[in-house]
Amino acid sequence: MGVEGGMKLVKFLVFFFNFIFWLCGVALIVVGVLAQFALHNTYRIKDASASGVPIVIIGVGVVIFFIAFFGCCGAWKENYCMITTFAILLALVIIVEIAAAIAGYVFRNKLGNIVQDSLADAVSNYKNGTDDFRKTVDKMQEDLKCCGMNSSSDWRSFADDGNSVPDSCCITVAKGCGKNKLSDESAVYQKGCHDVIVDLLKSNIQWVIVAALVIAFLQLMGLVFACLLMRGIRSGYDVM
């Protein structure tokens, strides 16, 4: 009875951990989609390499979502083959997550150059860009309270007078507020958007890395319990 009771607990833990994995899968999908949207829409980052980490996060989230459902069914039905398959797939996911965390850590050192190039394009294409493009750049500057790439002086070619900035650079945004205010610290933000965006992205990436490692640890625990349940089922114990 002692072994049987222990296997019942293991079965419950496998089911419980899989439910957590399912929630983690949903969370990773949401985080990956938001990161992809932020990189390519909110911050206008067009470098293809910037999509690497968000895509990996989304992919891992989708895989975890289905693997967790598969594991729940295997634990509930006490099916040895399903639990074995689940354990193998989960081990592969853990490896991918660790690789993604390492890639994210390495990628953070490239953020500066990627953001620099993207902001340079945003500034140079602002005047001839579409309304949606300008609205996106304006929203970025308003939300982040910054102006230009490195400073407000990046907008020197914005107007013929060489002394105006987009109204979104203004501390208090109003129509025409940026005219002849390029270096006016009381009216226009002087700090560029580059450092603000890099710091924000690095902070978010660090949280993603921490989350990936925590999830990988929980999955490792789930893998251990899955192996124990496999052993119990193979030994012919009734875990019900």
Side-chain angles (χ1 to χ4, degrees), residues 94-155:
I94 292 173
I95 294 173
V96 171
E97 286 174 347
I98 294 174
I102 295 174
Y105 182 80
V106 174
F107 171 73
R108 70 186 181 90
N109 295 322
K110 294 179 57 181
L111 283 176
N113 293 333
I114 294 174
V115 172
Q116 184 88 0
D117 294 340
S118 299
L119 286 177
D121 290 340
V123 172
S124 62
N125 296 325
Y126 183 86
K127 290 177 63 176
N128 298 322
T130 63
D131 290 339
D132 287 340
F133 179 83
R134 287 193 294 271
K135 286 179 181 178
T136 300
V137 176
D138 288 336
K139 187 177 188 307
M140 175 191 69
Q141 294 192 136
E142 289 181 35
D143 291 347
L144 300 180
K145 303 184 186 305
C146 58
C147 184
M149 180 173 58
N150 297 310
S151 69
S152 60
S153 61
D154 293 323
W155 290 109

Side-chain angles (χ1 to χ4, degrees), residues 37-50:
F37 176 81
L39 286 172
H40 295 278
N41 292 84
T42 305
Y43 303 134
R44 309 302 302 183
I45 293 178
K46 299 179 180 180
D47 193 307
S49 64

Side-chain angles (χ1 to χ4, degrees), residues 174-186:
K175 186 174 179 59
C177 65
K179 187 174 179 59
N180 295 318
K181 300 291 185 180
L182 181 71
S183 302
D184 189 344
E185 296 182 2
S186 64

Side-chain angles (χ1 to χ4, degrees), residues 8-64:
K8 281 185 177 181
L9 177 60
V10 169
K11 176 181 175 179
F12 170 78
L13 289 174
V14 171
F15 192 88
F16 175 74
F17 271 103
N18 272 287
F19 178 72
I20 294 178
F21 300 157
W22 183 82
L23 293 178
C24 289
V26 174
L28 286 174
I29 293 172
V30 173
V31 169
V33 171
L34 291 177
Q36 182 77 344
F37 176 81
L39 286 172
H40 295 278
N41 292 84
T42 305
Y43 303 134
R44 309 302 302 183
I45 293 178
K46 299 179 180 180
D47 193 307
S49 64
S51 297
V53 174
I55 289 176
V56 170
I57 292 173
I58 294 172
V60 171
V62 171
V63 172
I64 289 176

Side-chain angles (χ1 to χ4, degrees), residues 63-222:
V63 172
I64 289 176
F65 181 90
F66 288 105
I67 289 178
F69 180 78
F70 188 77
C72 284
C73 291
W76 186 261
K77 294 183 178 181
E78 302 169 18
N79 187 296
Y80 180 80
C81 291
M82 291 182 71
I83 294 295
T84 302
T85 303
F86 161 74
I88 294 173
L89 293 176
L90 187 58
L92 293 175
V93 168
I94 292 173
I95 294 173
V96 171
E97 286 174 347
I98 294 174
I102 295 174
Y105 182 80
V106 174
F107 171 73
R108 70 186 181 90
N109 295 322
K110 294 179 57 181
L111 283 176
N113 293 333
I114 294 174
V115 172
Q116 184 88 0
D117 294 340
S118 299
L119 286 177
D121 290 340
V123 172
S124 62
N125 296 325
Y126 183 86
K127 290 177 63 176
N128 298 322
T130 63
D131 290 339
D132 287 340
F133 179 83
R134 287 193 294 271
K135 286 179 181 178
T136 300
V137 176
D138 288 336
K139 187 177 188 307
M140 175 191 69
Q141 294 192 136
E142 289 181 35
D143 291 347
L144 300 180
K145 303 184 186 305
C146 58
C147 184
M149 180 173 58
N150 297 310
S151 69
S152 60
S153 61
D154 293 323
W155 290 109
R156 194 170 296 279
S157 60
F158 170 68
D160 294 335
D161 57 27
N163 193 39
S164 297
V165 296
D167 294 339
S168 56
C169 283
C170 296
I171 296 175
T172 302
V173 178
K175 186 174 179 59
C177 65
K179 187 174 179 59
N180 295 318
K181 300 291 185 180
L182 181 71
S183 302
D184 189 344
E185 296 182 2
S186 64
V188 170
Y189 293 112
Q190 299 298 303
K191 184 177 182 179
C193 297
H194 176 272
D195 291 343
V196 178
I197 293 177
V198 169
D199 290 343
L200 183 61
L201 292 178
K202 281 186 176 181
S203 175
N204 289 336
I205 286 178
Q206 287 175 352
W207 280 111
V208 170
I209 292 173
V210 171
L213 293 176
V214 170
I215 292 173
F217 173 77
L218 292 174
Q219 289 171 338
L220 184 61
M221 296 298 295

